[in-house]
mmCIF file of all heavy atoms in Angstrom:
data_model
loop_
_atom_site.group_PDB
_atom_site.id
_atom_site.type_symbol
_atom_site.label_atom_id
_atom_site.label_comp_id
_atom_site.label_asym_id
_atom_site.label_seq_id
_atom_site.Cartn_x
_atom_site.Cartn_y
_atom_site.Cartn_z
ATOM 1 N N GLN F 140 4.961 -3.527 -20.246
ATOM 2 C CA GLN F 140 3.958 -2.812 -21.034
ATOM 3 C C GLN F 140 2.993 -2.045 -20.119
ATOM 4 O O GLN F 140 2.716 -0.868 -20.323
ATOM 5 C CB GLN F 140 3.183 -3.831 -21.891
ATOM 6 C CG GLN F 140 1.962 -3.278 -22.613
ATOM 7 C CD GLN F 140 2.319 -2.173 -23.586
ATOM 8 O OE1 GLN F 140 3.279 -2.300 -24.327
ATOM 9 N NE2 GLN F 140 1.577 -1.082 -23.567
ATOM 10 N N VAL F 141 2.514 -2.731 -19.073
ATOM 11 C CA VAL F 141 1.519 -2.105 -18.190
ATOM 12 C C VAL F 141 2.143 -0.969 -17.382
ATOM 13 O O VAL F 141 1.533 0.083 -17.187
ATOM 14 C CB VAL F 141 0.873 -3.163 -17.257
ATOM 15 C CG1 VAL F 141 -0.064 -2.502 -16.287
ATOM 16 C CG2 VAL F 141 0.097 -4.171 -18.072
ATOM 17 N N VAL F 142 3.393 -1.145 -16.927
ATOM 18 C CA VAL F 142 4.058 -0.070 -16.166
ATOM 19 C C VAL F 142 4.277 1.144 -17.075
ATOM 20 O O VAL F 142 4.192 2.293 -16.639
ATOM 21 C CB VAL F 142 5.390 -0.576 -15.556
ATOM 22 C CG1 VAL F 142 6.185 0.564 -14.981
ATOM 23 C CG2 VAL F 142 5.098 -1.587 -14.461
ATOM 24 N N THR F 143 4.514 0.886 -18.372
ATOM 25 C CA THR F 143 4.625 1.996 -19.330
ATOM 26 C C THR F 143 3.254 2.655 -19.495
ATOM 27 O O THR F 143 3.136 3.875 -19.537
ATOM 28 C CB THR F 143 5.134 1.473 -20.697
ATOM 29 O OG1 THR F 143 6.251 0.619 -20.458
ATOM 30 C CG2 THR F 143 5.550 2.606 -21.616
ATOM 31 N N ASP F 144 2.184 1.830 -19.553
ATOM 32 C CA ASP F 144 0.818 2.356 -19.696
ATOM 33 C C ASP F 144 0.428 3.269 -18.544
ATOM 34 O O ASP F 144 -0.301 4.232 -18.730
ATOM 35 C CB ASP F 144 -0.210 1.206 -19.747
ATOM 36 C CG ASP F 144 -0.278 0.588 -21.135
ATOM 37 O OD1 ASP F 144 0.322 1.153 -22.051
ATOM 38 O OD2 ASP F 144 -0.928 -0.474 -21.283
ATOM 39 N N VAL F 145 0.877 2.927 -17.329
ATOM 40 C CA VAL F 145 0.481 3.768 -16.191
ATOM 41 C C VAL F 145 1.446 4.944 -16.023
ATOM 42 O O VAL F 145 1.490 5.586 -14.985
ATOM 43 C CB VAL F 145 0.318 2.974 -14.858
ATOM 44 C CG1 VAL F 145 -0.808 1.983 -14.941
ATOM 45 C CG2 VAL F 145 1.598 2.297 -14.440
ATOM 46 N N LYS F 146 2.212 5.210 -17.093
ATOM 47 C CA LYS F 146 3.045 6.424 -17.192
ATOM 48 C C LYS F 146 4.053 6.566 -16.066
ATOM 49 O O LYS F 146 4.184 7.636 -15.467
ATOM 50 C CB LYS F 146 2.156 7.671 -17.259
ATOM 51 C CG LYS F 146 1.228 7.707 -18.470
ATOM 52 C CD LYS F 146 0.637 9.107 -18.651
ATOM 53 C CE LYS F 146 -0.121 9.269 -19.947
ATOM 54 N NZ LYS F 146 -1.275 8.422 -20.113
ATOM 55 N N LEU F 147 4.749 5.466 -15.747
ATOM 56 C CA LEU F 147 5.817 5.568 -14.751
ATOM 57 C C LEU F 147 7.146 5.754 -15.478
ATOM 58 O O LEU F 147 7.378 5.133 -16.515
ATOM 59 C CB LEU F 147 5.858 4.306 -13.877
ATOM 60 C CG LEU F 147 4.806 4.282 -12.768
ATOM 61 C CD1 LEU F 147 4.679 2.895 -12.177
ATOM 62 C CD2 LEU F 147 5.120 5.265 -11.666
ATOM 63 N N PRO F 148 8.015 6.631 -14.958
ATOM 64 C CA PRO F 148 9.286 6.877 -15.635
ATOM 65 C C PRO F 148 10.210 5.660 -15.506
ATOM 66 O O PRO F 148 10.171 4.957 -14.494
ATOM 67 C CB PRO F 148 9.862 8.072 -14.861
ATOM 68 C CG PRO F 148 9.248 7.968 -13.509
ATOM 69 C CD PRO F 148 7.891 7.369 -13.715
ATOM 70 N N ASP F 149 11.025 5.429 -16.530
ATOM 71 C CA ASP F 149 12.043 4.373 -16.483
ATOM 72 C C ASP F 149 11.456 3.038 -15.982
ATOM 73 O O ASP F 149 11.826 2.524 -14.923
ATOM 74 C CB ASP F 149 13.187 4.843 -15.558
ATOM 75 C CG ASP F 149 14.429 3.984 -15.722
ATOM 76 O OD1 ASP F 149 14.337 2.991 -16.467
ATOM 77 O OD2 ASP F 149 15.467 4.289 -15.108
ATOM 78 N N PRO F 150 10.541 2.432 -16.757
ATOM 79 C CA PRO F 150 9.822 1.231 -16.299
ATOM 80 C C PRO F 150 10.737 0.087 -15.854
ATOM 81 O O PRO F 150 10.438 -0.604 -14.881
ATOM 82 C CB PRO F 150 8.996 0.816 -17.515
ATOM 83 C CG PRO F 150 8.923 2.021 -18.374
ATOM 84 C CD PRO F 150 10.107 2.861 -18.089
ATOM 85 N N LYS F 151 11.883 -0.104 -16.546
ATOM 86 C CA LYS F 151 12.751 -1.236 -16.188
ATOM 87 C C LYS F 151 13.286 -1.069 -14.768
ATOM 88 O O LYS F 151 13.361 -2.024 -13.992
ATOM 89 C CB LYS F 151 13.915 -1.342 -17.180
ATOM 90 C CG LYS F 151 13.457 -1.948 -18.510
ATOM 91 C CD LYS F 151 14.638 -2.398 -19.343
ATOM 92 C CE LYS F 151 14.171 -3.334 -20.438
ATOM 93 N NZ LYS F 151 14.551 -2.933 -21.765
ATOM 94 N N ARG F 152 13.660 0.185 -14.435
ATOM 95 C CA ARG F 152 14.189 0.441 -13.084
ATOM 96 C C ARG F 152 13.088 0.203 -12.047
ATOM 97 O O ARG F 152 13.328 -0.347 -10.978
ATOM 98 C CB ARG F 152 14.696 1.889 -13.003
ATOM 99 C CG ARG F 152 15.320 2.252 -11.664
ATOM 100 C CD ARG F 152 15.737 3.706 -11.612
ATOM 101 N NE ARG F 152 14.611 4.616 -11.691
ATOM 102 C CZ ARG F 152 13.816 4.914 -10.675
ATOM 103 N NH1 ARG F 152 14.000 4.347 -9.493
ATOM 104 N NH2 ARG F 152 12.820 5.753 -10.815
ATOM 105 N N ILE F 153 11.863 0.630 -12.384
ATOM 106 C CA ILE F 153 10.733 0.459 -11.458
ATOM 107 C C ILE F 153 10.468 -1.028 -11.194
ATOM 108 O O ILE F 153 10.226 -1.437 -10.062
ATOM 109 C CB ILE F 153 9.473 1.153 -12.018
ATOM 110 C CG1 ILE F 153 9.728 2.646 -12.062
ATOM 111 C CG2 ILE F 153 8.215 0.776 -11.223
ATOM 112 C CD1 ILE F 153 8.968 3.550 -11.204
ATOM 113 N N LEU F 154 10.526 -1.853 -12.248
ATOM 114 C CA LEU F 154 10.269 -3.292 -12.061
ATOM 115 C C LEU F 154 11.308 -3.914 -11.140
ATOM 116 O O LEU F 154 11.051 -4.913 -10.473
ATOM 117 C CB LEU F 154 10.287 -4.020 -13.416
ATOM 118 C CG LEU F 154 9.100 -3.748 -14.349
ATOM 119 C CD1 LEU F 154 9.234 -4.538 -15.635
ATOM 120 C CD2 LEU F 154 7.773 -4.078 -13.689
ATOM 121 N N ASP F 155 12.476 -3.273 -11.084
ATOM 122 C CA ASP F 155 13.558 -3.821 -10.270
ATOM 123 C C ASP F 155 13.600 -3.192 -8.867
ATOM 124 O O ASP F 155 14.520 -3.433 -8.097
ATOM 125 C CB ASP F 155 14.891 -3.578 -11.000
ATOM 126 C CG ASP F 155 15.954 -4.571 -10.538
ATOM 127 O OD1 ASP F 155 15.596 -5.741 -10.273
ATOM 128 O OD2 ASP F 155 17.125 -4.166 -10.415
ATOM 129 N N ALA F 156 12.603 -2.347 -8.568
ATOM 130 C CA ALA F 156 12.629 -1.631 -7.275
ATOM 131 C C ALA F 156 11.699 -2.325 -6.270
ATOM 132 O O ALA F 156 10.828 -3.111 -6.640
ATOM 133 C CB ALA F 156 12.167 -0.197 -7.487
#
Side-chain angles (χ1 to χ4, degrees):
Q140 171 61 44
V141 176
V142 170
T143 313
D144 279 351
V145 295
K146 299 194 171 62
L147 280 166
D149 194 355
K151 284 195 164 125
R152 182 183 65 79
I153 295 246
L154 289 181
D155 203 36

